[in-house]
Amino acid sequence: MAKLGKRTKAAREAFAGKENLTVEDAVSLIKANASAKFDETVEISMNLGVDPRHADQMVRGVVGLPNGTGKDVRVAVFARGPKAEEAQAAGADIVGAEDLMETVQGGTIEFDRCIATPDMMPIVGRLGKVLGPRNLMPNPKVGTVTMDVADAVKAAKGGEVQFKAEKAGVVHAGVGKASFDEAKLVENIRAFVGAVAKAKPAGAKGTYMKKVSLSSTMGPGVSVDVENAVTE
C-alpha cells in the first residue's frame, strides 16, 4: 500500500468522523484543508434516485452560479455570417462551421462549452460520437442550440454550469474555487442544488436526493445534510 503524504494524511484526519454537515460547515472544512499549490476547485457530487437509462428519469439542466465558477471557460460556436460575428463580439474563443467540424473530427477539442445555431445542427450532428461522451453536444434544452448566440456565450463565460445525470444517477460539477469567500461558495452550492431539485423528472420514484457530497480537487469528500443543502 502506498504511503500517504503529509498533506493527504492531515486532510484525512481533519475529515475523519465528520459527515452530514451543514453546507456552511462543509465549506469551512474544505477551505481550511485545500492546501495544494494551485487554487483548487470546490466540487459537488449528488447521488439521485433516478435511472437515466429511462427517458422519464433523465436529469439535466443549466444553472447560472451567482458568483461564477472562477474558471476561464473556453467557448466554441458553430455559426455563419452575422451570427458568427455576434459570437466573436460576445467573446467566443472559437467560431466556425465546416472548418471547425473538421478540427474536432481531427481530435482537437480546445473548448469547454459548445454552442450552435439551429441551422448548424446537421454539421454538429456528425460530431455526436466525439462531443456526446464529453457532455459538449449542443442541446436546445440547456440553451446551447440557439439563435441568441451572444447571450449564450456571455452566460457560459459568466458562470453558467450545465449538469446531467450519469448512468448511476450521479450529478457532479465545479461550484467555485477554494479561494472564494465562504459565503459565496455557500450561495453557489445552494443555487446548484436548487436547480437540480427543480429538474426532478416525472419518472423519479422514492427519495430523489439521496446524498450530497463536497470536496476540493485534491481533498477528501464530506457529506452534507441533504435538507440543509436544499433549504437556506
Side-chain angles (χ1 to χ4, degrees):
M1 185 174 178
K3 186 177 180 180
L4 296 177
K6 290 183 179 179
R7 187 187 65 81
T8 302
K9 186 177 180 181
R12 288 192 178 184
E13 289 176 351
F15 280 68
K18 296 180 180 179
E19 57 184 22
N20 290 328
L21 304 182
T22 64
V23 175
E24 290 81 1
D25 286 346
V27 167
S28 179
L29 181 64
I30 288 167
K31 279 179 61 67
N33 290 277
S35 56
K37 293 181 180 179
F38 62 93
D39 192 4
E40 297 181 54
T41 296
V42 175
E43 301 173 355
I44 187 169
S45 178
M46 302 177 67
N47 292 69
L48 306 177
V50 298
D51 184 349
R53 292 175 297 179
H54 300 286
D56 66 344
Q57 294 188 48
M58 170 51 70
V59 177
R60 75 180 306 157
V62 62
V63 55
L65 298 183
N67 302 297
T69 63
K71 179 181 177 182
D72 182 17
V73 178
R74 301 168 300 171
V75 179
V77 177
F78 282 87
R80 287 196 182 97
K83 290 300 174 181
E85 294 173 5
E86 283 182 30
Q88 289 176 327
D93 299 274
I94 307 169
V95 180
E98 285 85 358
D99 55 336
L100 180 52
M101 177 191 72
E102 292 173 1
T103 298
V104 173
Q105 284 179 329
T108 301
I109 301 177
E110 297 179 335
F111 51 87
D112 309 296
R113 183 72 61 85
C114 186
I115 296 165
T117 53
D119 59 299
M120 288 284 100
M121 288 311 292
I123 291 174
V124 180
R126 303 177 200 173
L127 302 173
K129 291 183 179 180
V130 180
L131 298 179
R134 294 174 172 82
N135 201 25
L136 289 172
M137 193 67 182
N139 189 307
K141 292 182 179 179
V142 293
T144 48
V145 177
T146 176
M147 290 300 287
D148 296 325
V149 290
D151 286 345
V153 170
K154 290 174 183 176
K157 291 279 189 180
E160 189 178 74
V161 174
Q162 294 181 8
F163 58 86
K164 180 181 178 182
E166 298 176 351
K167 289 182 179 180
V170 176
V171 168
H172 64 82
V175 289
K177 293 290 185 178
S179 60
F180 281 19
D181 290 341
E182 287 186 18
K184 289 184 177 181
L185 281 171
V186 169
E187 191 177 7
N188 277 2
I189 291 164
R190 292 198 191 282
F192 185 87
V193 173
V196 175
K198 289 178 181 177
K200 181 179 179 179
K205 301 288 193 298
T207 302
Y208 177 51
M209 290 191 184
K210 292 185 172 181
K211 185 177 181 181
V212 178
S213 299
L214 296 172
S215 66
S216 63
T217 305
M218 303 298 289
V222 61
S223 61
V224 175
D225 180 80
V226 175
E227 289 188 11
N228 177 265
V230 175
T231 59
E232 295 187 25

